[in-house]
């Protein structure tokens, strides 16, 4: 049996879906990030980055999926869910996950790997603050699994930030 901080084969399948969502976001003109929540009953809620198309600097895939999941799941269901994402949640997104009550996050590309690809977004330097550090400051545990070895998670960013 694995613990909540181990990336499983099933987790990898969900992460591949997140990377496909990231590619879809990129194709429509948004930043290449995608996330989904899997509820205890198997329902999935998906979201993509909407920073550009919605003119919303908080429109990260993770904040969008937390909002969407909270609209259709009870607090009890959120407390049994897992959030999957193509790239490690930033500090803002980690805060949204924390406040949602979702107890587990699984990500593909790490925040440090993203920083290797893009030092700044629209002139704003990226934050060097891993989600584990954000979660560690809270009063409840959020299990984190990642980064996962998925080359497509970094490939979706190729040529985007240039």
């Amino acid at each position: 049996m694995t613990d909540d901080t181990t990336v499983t084969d099933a987790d990898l399948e969900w992460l591949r879906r997140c990377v496909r969502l990231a590619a879809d976001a990129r194709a429509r003109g948004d930043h290449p990030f995608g996330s989904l929540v899997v509820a205890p009953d198997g329902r999935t809620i998906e979201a993509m980055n909407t920073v550009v198309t919605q003119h919303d600097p908080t429109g990260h895939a993770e904040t969008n999926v937390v909002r969407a999941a909270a609209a259709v799941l009870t607090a009890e269901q959120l407390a049994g869910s897992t959030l999957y994402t193509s790239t490690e949640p930033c500090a803002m997104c980690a805060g949204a996950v924390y406040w949602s009550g979702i107890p587990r996050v699984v990500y593909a590309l790490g925040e440090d790997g993203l920083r290797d690809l893009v030092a700044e977004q629209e002139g704003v330097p990226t934050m060097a603050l891993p989600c584990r550090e954000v979660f560690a400051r809270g009063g409840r545990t959020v299990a984190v699994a990642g980064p996962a070895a998925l080359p497509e998670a970094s490939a979706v960013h190729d040529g985007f930030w240039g």
Side-chain angles (χ1 to χ4, degrees):
M1 178 155 180
T2 60
D3 66 33
D4 284 346
T5 61
T6 300
V7 178
T8 67
D9 288 341
D11 291 334
L12 289 173
E13 289 307 310
W14 290 119
L15 291 174
R16 285 183 182 98
R17 175 65 188 144
C18 290
V19 173
R20 288 191 299 274
L21 290 168
D24 291 346
R26 179 180 178 159
R28 73 172 189 205
D30 279 303
H31 300 163
F33 301 99
S35 296
L36 60 85
V37 168
V38 178
D41 64 4
R43 271 186 293 171
T44 62
I45 298 96
E46 298 182 343
M48 295 179 275
N49 182 285
T50 57
V51 167
V52 176
T53 57
Q54 297 294 314
H55 310 285
D56 178 4
T58 67
H60 293 194
E62 298 90 349
T63 56
N64 289 342
V65 83
V66 165
R67 284 185 202 107
V72 297
L73 299 175
T74 66
E76 182 179 275
Q77 290 168 322
L78 286 169
S81 296
T82 297
L83 184 141
Y84 293 91
T85 188
S86 61
T87 304
E88 182 175 357
C90 71
M92 174 185 70
C93 293
V97 172
Y98 178 83
W99 290 112
S100 75
I102 295 171
R104 183 172 185 249
V105 172
V106 184
Y107 65 87
L109 179 64
E111 169 265 338
D112 55 343
L114 181 63
R115 272 197 336 268
D116 289 344
L117 299 171
V118 54
E120 57 184 44
Q121 297 176 30
E122 285 85 36
V124 179
T126 60
M127 294 180 75
L129 183 57
C131 69
R132 284 176 176 86
E133 289 185 34
V134 176
F135 295 139
R137 301 295 181 150
R140 70 172 185 83
T141 300
V142 178
V144 179
L150 284 181
E152 57 265 46
S154 59
V156 74
H157 294 274
D158 286 350
F160 182 83
W161 303 101

